[in-house]
Amino acid sequence: MGNTTLLEDEVVLYEGAATSNKYKGSLKITLTSYKIIVEKEKGFFKKEIELLDTIALEDIKSYNEVAQIKQKGNSVEIQTVGKNITLSFSISW
């Protein structure tokens, strides 16, 4: 992870690459026990990690106690209080 520090009791559950309807290019997605972190590598010669978005898991909408996260193929749509975001993951077997 780039510029993000984790809390003492926070655990990384998943790290991977994805694309999004909201951001251009390849993204690095990190799912922790508290949030989803969206980062992008920028710079041609000097590589830097830019933090694009942080989505708190508590901000994800729920209906009848079911989180409003829908998977269709390799795409995942997440409905939050402030926005909807779709992430497309590459499939590797």
Side-chain angles (χ1 to χ4, degrees):
M1 284 184 348
N3 304 328
T4 307
T5 56
L6 298 178
L7 299 173
E8 187 174 305
D9 62 339
E10 191 171 10
V11 179
V12 173
L13 304 172
Y14 172 81
E15 286 184 316
T19 58
S20 172
N21 64 334
K22 193 169 176 82
Y23 305 105
K24 292 183 179 180
S26 182
L27 306 172
K28 180 182 176 193
I29 307 297
T30 305
L31 171 65
T32 73
S33 51
Y34 291 115
K35 60 191 168 220
I36 300 170
I37 303 165
V38 181
E39 298 173 308
K40 181 176 184 174
E41 189 176 84
K42 69 175 196 172
F44 190 71
F45 292 108
K46 184 180 177 186
K47 303 288 185 187
E48 294 180 5
I49 301 293
E50 177 183 11
L51 177 65
L52 298 176
D53 202 357
T54 301
I55 302 167
L57 296 184
E58 63 190 25
D59 290 344
I60 295 175
K61 290 181 181 180
S62 64
Y63 179 73
N64 288 336
E65 297 182 20
V66 176
Q68 294 303 293
I69 301 174
K70 297 180 178 98
Q71 179 189 1
K72 190 175 223 181
N74 66 333
S75 295
V76 177
E77 181 183 353
I78 304 168
Q79 295 181 25
T80 68
V81 175
K83 62 189 165 250
N84 294 346
I85 186 168
T86 301
L87 301 171
S88 297
F89 295 89
S90 61
I91 300 174
S92 59
W93 300 96

